[in-house]
Structure formats: C-alpha cells, structure tokens
Amino acid sequence: MIREMTQLDFKKFWPTFSHVVSLQETYAFDPDMTIDQAYAVWCELPTKTFVFIEGDDVLGSYYIKPNAAGPSAHICNCGYIVSEKARGKGIARKPCEHSQTTAIEIGFKAMQANSVVATNEIAVGLWKRMGFQIIGTLPMAYLHGFATEP
C-alpha cells in the first residue's frame, strides 16, 4: 500500500533513511542530520511525501516537489529510497509508477531526476525502463563517502 507519509511512518522509516544517507553513495544529504532535520527535508519541504508499507514494514518512501520555481514549477522532481531488505524485489517500480500518476494528478507536466548517481546502476536501469532518458552526466559531481579526493 502506498499512502501519504505521517510523522509516525517517518520514525519507522528513519533507520532506512539514516543508513542510506550515512553511506554517502546516492543522496547528497548531510550524513549527520538529525531525525528532525531529515523529516523537514523529506516530508515538510516537498509538496507531498509517500510511504510504501506492507504489513507493519516500511519498504520505501518517495517525495514529490517542483524541480524549480517560477516558469519551471510545472516540472517535478522526486526522491526515492527503498529499504535494504526490500531491494531486488521490484519494489522501487511501484513508487515510481505511483509518482508519475501523482504528478499528473497534482498538475505537474513533466518529471526530472536531477542527480541519479551513475554507480547506482539498478536505479539508472529502472529509470530507463520507466521511460526516462539521460540528458547529461557530470563527472566527479558526487563525492562518495569513500572518495578520498575530488
């Protein structure tokens, strides 16, 4: 089931969120952010945030927000995180499909993924299968947590 995320849902999602961010492999969030800072970034700043739940398990979450302001506010951007135990089971596809439907429902005309890290090959492959195109790459644009120098 996918539904809008509550604060309680985020508390259940927090271990997944903090783990993903701490790895510094796919998200450019401060790895030392608090749960309150993370909630603000993931749930309060976006237009909407959703959670994917199966039973009592939070399998993943995504947010949707305008990619830019003014004359580009009709293009949305989404961020997705899937729990480690749910990976490799086709779970990410469901929130992506849901986000595309939601985007249309709330008035967005297009969707743009700003920075899918190239080493996240599973995500890159999924987005391609979902109809997205790579329009550019930025070498060294993302300093992974394991990087020692730019």
Side-chain angles (χ1 to χ4, degrees), residues 47-108:
T47 305
K48 291 182 180 273
T49 302
F50 293 87
V51 63
F52 185 11
I53 295 181
E54 194 171 84
D56 286 334
D57 293 332
V58 174
L59 301 181
S61 177
Y62 81 89
Y63 65 76
I64 186 168
K65 65 181 183 178
N67 192 54
S72 289
H74 65 289
I75 299 170
C76 71
N77 171 258
C78 296
Y80 308 84
I81 294 179
V82 174
S83 73
E84 205 166 284
K85 74 177 190 175
R87 292 185 192 152
K89 299 177 182 178
I91 299 296
R93 183 178 191 89
K94 292 174 183 167
C96 184
E97 290 170 343
H98 188 272
S99 68
Q100 290 178 339
T101 301
T102 299
I104 293 166
E105 289 172 357
I106 60 179
F108 290 110

Side-chain angles (χ1 to χ4, degrees), residues 16-45:
T16 294
F17 181 94
S18 62
H19 176 71
V20 167
V21 171
S22 74
L23 295 175
Q24 299 181 55
E25 294 175 354
T26 56
Y27 273 92
F29 293 142
D30 180 353
D32 297 321
M33 67 185 354
T34 66
I35 189 171
D36 292 333
Q37 292 167 324
Y39 181 78
V41 166
W42 196 259
C43 298
E44 292 176 342
L45 294 176

